[in-house]
Amino acid sequence: IEERVALKVLDPELLNSESKRVQFVREHTALTRLKHANLVHSIKCGEDHGEVYFAMELCLGGDLTGLVKRFGRLPERVVALIGRQAAAGLREMHRHKMIHRDIKPPNIMLFEPLAPGGTTDDLEVLLEDMDSLCRIVDIGLVGTIMSDADVADPAVGRRFAGSMMYASPEQILRRKDIDGRADIYALGMTLWYLLQGW
């Protein structure tokens, strides 16, 4: 297919680790199962000269961290529109009994770029006109809500997965009963970051 894609390649040094191979396969499997306008779509997975890779949609607008670097604090209306689109993607994941576990500004990207001289007003218009502008990416930590596959020790709970700044209390405590509310918490922290500009 002649189209520009984002290519994710697993570090060859990690190929010897079975757990990393499983994580990579899980990420690709999750991407192929989830079809939604606010989730990045997987195109192909394969292996070439010992390197495992997968190709996915290329998001040309950068991530939310880039928006904050460009504009600083974002207007409340813009943040609300971003939140609505990200929440729609999460709702689809949760509908499939899956949780992301690493929602944060770098993992929400804009599918289309904002013009070089564009303002936050232009961004607001783009968000209003395009319900699929925001895409959730990096689904490598996806877990199934009902699965105990990631439990290291039943007495301790799950291994920690995610980013401390955005992780919910139950993630940090490594509780086994993590569900979609952990993603909602992380999305709330992400929106707070956008409003604060740091």
Side-chain angles (χ1 to χ4, degrees):
I1 357 176
E2 293 188 8
E3 70 177 280
R4 295 175 68 195
V5 298
L7 200 61
K8 184 168 185 174
V9 181
L10 190 63
D11 184 340
E13 291 182 10
L14 299 177
L15 291 174
N16 295 328
S17 165
E18 186 61 28
S19 64
K20 288 296 181 181
R21 280 183 175 273
V22 168
Q23 181 178 353
F24 194 83
V25 169
R26 177 184 291 171
E27 180 167 0
H28 179 258
T29 303
L31 283 169
T32 57
R33 284 175 54 196
L34 298 171
K35 303 289 186 194
H36 190 273
N38 299 114
L39 300 172
V40 73
H41 296 157
S42 177
I43 298 168
K44 182 179 180 181
C45 180
E47 187 169 353
D48 186 33
H49 296 94
E51 290 189 326
V52 179
Y53 69 89
F54 73 79
M56 58 191 147
E57 285 181 309
L58 179 61
C59 295
L60 296 170
D63 63 34
L64 298 185
T65 305
L67 281 182
V68 169
K69 286 179 181 173
R70 181 172 174 178
F71 297 116
R73 294 181 181 186
L74 296 179
E76 291 178 11
R77 173 75 178 157
V78 168
V79 173
L81 290 167
I82 290 170
R84 182 176 70 180
Q85 291 192 17
L90 286 176
R91 180 177 56 204
E92 180 66 9
M93 291 184 69
H94 299 163
R95 192 173 72 80
H96 287 275
K97 304 292 184 202
M98 304 181 85
I99 49 177
H100 188 287
R101 293 197 287 168
D102 198 23
I103 293 296
K104 58 185 178 181
N107 284 343
I108 300 174
M109 302 193 75
L110 302 183
F111 189 66
E112 298 289 343
L114 188 62
T119 66
T120 55
D121 288 339
D122 297 321
L123 177 58
E124 181 178 332
V125 169
L126 194 57
L127 285 161
E128 287 174 340
D129 290 347
M130 188 176 178
D131 285 339
S132 60
L133 183 64
C134 294
R135 308 283 174 100
I136 294 173
V137 301
D138 201 10
I139 310 186
L141 293 179
V142 162
T144 306
I145 293 173
M146 301 307 292
S147 171
D148 286 330
D150 293 319
V151 176
D153 177 347
V156 175
R158 291 183 183 271
R159 295 183 189 99
F160 175 77
S163 301
M164 292 297 284
M165 172 71 178
Y166 302 93
S168 65
E170 61 270 25
Q171 274 180 279
I172 293 170
L173 294 172
R174 298 183 298 163
R175 287 175 44 183
K176 290 196 294 181
D177 56 343
I178 294 173
D179 59 26
R181 291 172 291 186
D183 287 340
I184 300 302
Y185 179 96
L187 179 58
M189 289 298 294
T190 297
L191 300 182
W192 176 85
Y193 165 84
L194 299 178
L195 289 168
Q196 292 297 313
W198 54 270

